[in-house]
Amino acid sequence: MSRSNTEVPVQVTGVLDPRAGAPEQDSTDPVEITWANACQVVGTLDHVAGKWSIGILVSVAEGPIRFTELERAVPGISRRILTMNLRRLERDGLLRRTVYPTVPPKVEYTLTDVARELTASLTGLVRWAERHGPTIAAAREVYDREQAGQE
């Protein structure tokens, strides 16, 4: 008899870093992570964790920014991809688009409160990646050498 992933809870304990944008949690109060609530997280992260979304959010976090400034701030992004991502982030409630009645129209993008909280969490993730990037790179090298030796 196999168990469904939704039946396998995982407990996570520890004090989260409030500077990372996450609320502090008492180490005696475990968070139960199940497949069911992890799926909700995956669905949300699919929208905000993409290569372009992160670059856009980080660029907009510095303050109000115009489309052409975003184009320059996010290396390698095309106008079409930028437009699609801006619309999606606006639809998700992460960006606010303000159109000023000028000729030509001036459009600025700013983060919503929800996005500001998200960028604080992204900062924590960036810190984690910076701390553990060399460890991961070393583990990959060891793994690749071992795999090459088995062939």
Side-chain angles (χ1 to χ4, degrees), residues 27-49:
S27 62
T28 61
D29 183 24
V31 175
E32 184 174 84
I33 299 174
T34 63
W35 183 250
N37 63 15
C39 284
Q40 181 180 8
V41 170
V42 169
T44 302
L45 288 179
D46 279 347
H47 278 245
V48 298

Side-chain angles (χ1 to χ4, degrees), residues 4-140:
S4 164
N5 284 339
T6 60
E7 298 172 16
V8 182
V10 177
Q11 289 194 343
V12 178
T13 60
V15 177
L16 301 175
D17 183 357
R19 292 169 295 167
E24 189 166 346
Q25 179 184 358
D26 181 44
S27 62
T28 61
D29 183 24
V31 175
E32 184 174 84
I33 299 174
T34 63
W35 183 250
N37 63 15
C39 284
Q40 181 180 8
V41 170
V42 169
T44 302
L45 288 179
D46 279 347
H47 278 245
V48 298
K51 171 183 177 180
W52 302 120
S53 296
I54 291 172
I56 292 167
L57 291 170
V58 167
S59 297
V60 177
E62 296 174 10
I65 191 167
R66 296 179 70 176
F67 184 90
T68 53
E69 294 170 321
L70 269 171
E71 252 184 321
R72 288 189 296 270
V74 182
I77 196 166
S78 69
R79 287 183 149 236
R80 180 177 169 274
I81 296 298
L82 178 58
T83 299
M84 288 173 32
N85 278 271
L86 288 170
R87 286 181 183 157
R88 192 184 71 226
L89 292 167
E90 184 180 6
R91 179 176 180 246
D92 289 344
L94 300 173
L95 289 183
R96 184 174 300 111
R97 180 177 183 261
T98 305
V99 180
Y100 296 94
T102 60
V103 178
K106 177 183 172 184
V107 178
E108 284 184 340
Y109 295 90
T110 54
L111 296 181
T112 63
D113 290 340
V114 172
R116 274 198 248 352
E117 184 179 336
L118 172 63
T119 57
S121 296
L122 286 175
T123 300
L125 181 59
V126 167
R127 287 183 187 140
W128 179 90
E130 288 171 344
R131 276 193 317 273
H132 299 290
T135 303
I136 292 170
R140 286 178 180 162

